[in-house]
Amino acid sequence: MPQSDGPLHDVARIVEALERHGVEYLLIGGVAAIGYGAQRPTEDTDCVVRRSRANLERLAEALVELNARLRVASMSDAEAKRLPVQIDATTLELAGMTTWMTDAGPFDVLAGLQAADGHLVPYEELIERATTLQGDGFVIRAASLEDIIEAKEHANRPKDREGLPELRSIRDASRD
C-alpha cells in the first residue's frame, strides 16, 4: 500500500524502538532487500516477529512508543488516528498481519513468510537462516535472501515480480 499522507519512512527509528523494547523480529521485504544490496526503493518497513505472548507485549510497547495507528486503505492518516484501537499483546495475537502508520512511517507486522508451497514459515524457522546486515547507520536482522525471494515468488504481485530479477542476481553473485 503506497504511503499517502503519513509521516516519512524512518527505518532507523523503527529499528531503534524494536531494539529498545527487546522485540524478537526479522526485517523482510524492501528494507531487508536494500540491506542485501538491492537498489529498489521501499516506502514501508515489514517484519516477522516471534509470536510468544511476552514478545507481542514488547512489540505493543514499541508500537505505542511510535504512536502507531492502523493503516486503512480507505482512510486518511488523520481519520485512522481517531480509530479506537487498543494496542496490546492480545490484539496482536489475534491478527496474523497488521499494517500500521507510525510517527516513523508505515510498518507492517507479519506472522511469517510464505514458502514456495504456500505454508507459512514462522519466525522460529526464519531466524535459523537469518542474517545481520548493516543499515544506513544501524544494524538490522533480516530474513535470509532465499526466504525473501521465495515469499516474493509465492506472492506473485506485480511489484514482487519486478523486484525478483535484482534479488536473484544478488543471490547468485553471493554464491560465486
Side-chain angles (χ1 to χ4, degrees):
M1 177 183 311
Q3 180 177 334
S4 54
D5 64 337
L8 293 176
H9 187 211
D10 185 347
V11 178
R13 186 169 168 200
I14 291 171
V15 167
E16 288 166 5
L18 294 171
E19 292 290 332
R20 191 170 26 265
H21 290 278
V23 178
E24 295 174 84
Y25 70 95
L26 291 172
L27 294 184
I28 59 171
V31 170
I34 290 168
Y36 282 108
Q39 299 300 307
R40 190 175 175 85
T42 186
E43 297 179 339
D44 66 356
T45 301
D46 302 303
C47 78
V48 171
V49 298
R50 182 181 299 276
R51 303 296 292 178
S52 72
R53 180 80 179 184
N55 196 54
L56 293 175
E57 287 171 2
R58 293 188 296 269
L59 174 60
E61 291 168 1
L63 288 168
V64 168
E65 176 185 319
L66 291 166
N67 194 27
R69 54 269 184 199
L70 286 176
R71 206 162 28 125
V72 182
S74 62
M75 298 181 121
S76 70
D77 189 41
E79 291 169 324
K81 284 180 180 179
R82 293 192 296 270
L83 291 174
V85 177
Q86 181 156 342
I87 302 175
D88 59 19
T90 300
T91 300
L92 296 170
E93 202 167 35
L94 293 173
M97 176 182 174
T98 52
T99 58
W100 304 95
M101 178 58 72
T102 73
D103 288 350
F107 180 48
D108 299 343
V109 180
L110 289 78
L113 281 179
Q114 296 287 318
D117 65 5
H119 85 277
L120 192 67
V121 182
Y123 172 89
E124 291 77 9
E125 289 180 43
L126 295 170
I127 191 69
E128 294 174 11
R129 299 181 293 275
T131 305
T132 300
L133 302 168
Q134 183 65 43
D136 188 15
F138 56 96
V139 174
I140 62 171
R141 286 186 303 270
S144 75
L145 186 54
E146 194 60 46
D147 284 329
I148 292 167
I149 290 170
E150 214 173 280
K152 288 186 175 296
E153 288 171 342
H154 184 269
N156 201 28
R157 300 173 300 184
K159 71 177 187 175
D160 295 318
R161 287 192 301 271
E162 290 170 15
L164 277 167
E166 181 182 30
L167 294 177
R168 289 181 185 128
S169 175
I170 292 168
R171 176 198 59 201
D172 296 346
S174 72
R175 290 179 176 167
D176 294 338

